[in-house]
């Protein structure tokens, strides 16, 4: 490989220490690795996903059966835990990855991205567009990738600070608790629509909103009406078990996803930095804009293998069970090209994310002004804006 030498570029890009030739060389190496793994897909992979789906379904049925006796406290705990695990498996290792098309090569109509509908508030069709197309195309690009902070978080010092950001530690907690509904609102582009910034027409928005509400109705009916009623005198115990299982699933999913995109050491990118982006530069953005979670095979399964977020962003269509195999080779490639491979145990990654959320809730450090002074100015400006709006309405 050629020596790593800086080469000035007309626009910013990840890893500016690499020349155009080195970036092209990196792309060719990663393309070859992807093709190698795709060529190895076969019966072992198909057996894996069918085994996971069968396990998840038996776990869900078994847990819901146990919860029919949820008035007995041990049954409540066992059923709630089992149902939470089943929901996590369905969303993370099965639903997310099936809808990525990772298993379409099997030609099984029951395990295909075009037919799978998951146990989640967001309809599959809307999620696939916002996630597979927008997020994976514009990974960590500010104002293009709404997964980056979900439109409510300040995720980079390059983003203007607003008074609203003071509350982002709280917004983050609320988002974790209701994560499936936040994702549904995000996929719907609810925020941009209410601000008049959505690319969707009113008719499109209303049609998609009806689909979301219908999906939420089906999910709520299953978890909070039918299943509790089936438990007879234990209706309230079963209702609380379903609520807790969904809360656990939401908090876990949120933690896994935010740890893959937001820890310290993960880069964000300006919109103009991706204009004319080459395939090699796209690969660089995936590697430097992602982070992994280290741990056991069980942890990788429960994260949907998004603990290998770097590998997933590089190769979103590879079977998830192959990421552990690919990871050491990706790390070796990144070391060779002097790229930081961000990884760590989940507690450390969560702590890193939390620290960053609190830090970015405050204005950037200004040697001429204290942060308290900046916040006070923002409060005064907000109060003045509210008063001016009231005056205009009265006039």
């Amino acid at each position: 490989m050629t020596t790593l030498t800086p080469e000035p570029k007309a626009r910013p890009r990840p890893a500016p220490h690499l020349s155009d030739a080195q970036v092209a060389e990196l792309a060719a190496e990663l393309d070859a690795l992807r093709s190698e793994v795709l060529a190895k897909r076969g019966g072992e992979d198909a057996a894996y996903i069918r085994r996971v789906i069968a396990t998840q379904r038996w776990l869900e049925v078994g847990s819901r059966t146990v919860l029919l006796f949820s008035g007995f406290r041990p049954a409540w705990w066992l059923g709630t835990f089992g149902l939470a695990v089943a929901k996590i498996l369905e969303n993370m290792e099965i639903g997310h990855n099936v809808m990525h098309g990772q298993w379409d090569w099997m030609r099984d109509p029951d395990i295909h991205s075009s037919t799978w509908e998951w146990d989640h508030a967001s309809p599959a069709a809307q999620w696939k567009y916002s996630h597979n197309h927008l997020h994976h195309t514009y990974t960590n690009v500010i104002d293009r990738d709404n997964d980056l902070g979900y439109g409510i978080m300040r995720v980079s010092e390059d983003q203007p600070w607003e008074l609203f950001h003071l509350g982002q530690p709280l917004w983050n907690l609320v988002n974790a608790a209701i994560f499936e509904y936040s994702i549904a609102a995000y996929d719907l582009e609810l925020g941009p629509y209410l601000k008049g910034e959505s690319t969707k027409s009113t008719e499109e928005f209303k049609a998609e909103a009806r689909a979301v509400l219908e999906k939420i109705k089906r999910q709520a009916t299953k978890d909070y009406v039918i299943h509790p009623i089936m438990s007879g005198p234990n209706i309230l115990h079963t209702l609380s078990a379903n609520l807790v299982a969904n809360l656990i699933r939401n908090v876990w999913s949120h933690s896994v996803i935010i740890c893959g995109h937001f820890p310290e050491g993960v880069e964000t990118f300006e919109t103009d930095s991706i204009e004319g982006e080459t395939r090699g530069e796209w690969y660089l953005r995936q590697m430097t804009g992602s982070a992994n979670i280290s741990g056991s095979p069980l942890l990788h399964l429960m994260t949907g293998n998004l603990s290998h977020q770097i590998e997933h962003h590089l190769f979103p269509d590879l079977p998830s069970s192959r990421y552990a195999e690919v990871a050491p080779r990706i790390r070796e490639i990144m070391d060779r090209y002097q790229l930081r491979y961000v990884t760590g145990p989940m507690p450390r990654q969560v702590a890193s994310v939390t620290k960053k959320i609190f830090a970015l809730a405050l204005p950037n450090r200004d040697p001429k002004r204290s942060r308290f002074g900046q916040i006070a100015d923002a409060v005064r400006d907000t109060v003045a804006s509210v008063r001016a709006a009231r005056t205009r309405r009265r006039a």
Side-chain angles (χ1 to χ4, degrees), residues 72-87:
F72 180 52
R73 187 168 294 275
W76 188 95
W77 284 105
L78 179 62
T80 301
F81 177 76
L83 185 58
V85 172
K87 284 176 172 288

Side-chain angles (χ1 to χ4, degrees), residues 160-233:
W161 179 84
E162 298 177 6
L163 189 61
F164 174 82
H165 294 128
L166 279 178
Q168 72 177 28
L170 175 60
W171 316 149
N172 184 59
L173 287 175
V174 172
N175 190 37
I178 61 170
F179 194 52
E180 67 170 316
Y181 302 105
S182 297
I183 293 296
Y186 156 63
D187 292 344
L188 184 60
E189 296 184 16
L190 178 61
Y193 181 81
L194 294 176
K195 295 176 184 177
E197 300 172 355
S198 176
T199 58
K200 298 176 181 177
S201 68
T202 300
E203 291 73 21
E204 288 175 323
F205 177 83
K206 288 181 176 179
E208 293 187 6
R210 284 193 294 269
V212 171
L213 292 174
E214 180 60 31
K215 185 72 187 294
I216 291 174
K217 178 183 174 182
R218 290 201 303 272
Q219 297 297 109
T221 300
K222 176 187 65 177
D223 282 344
Y224 305 133
V225 179
I226 295 176
H227 188 210
I229 287 176
M230 288 175 62
S231 63

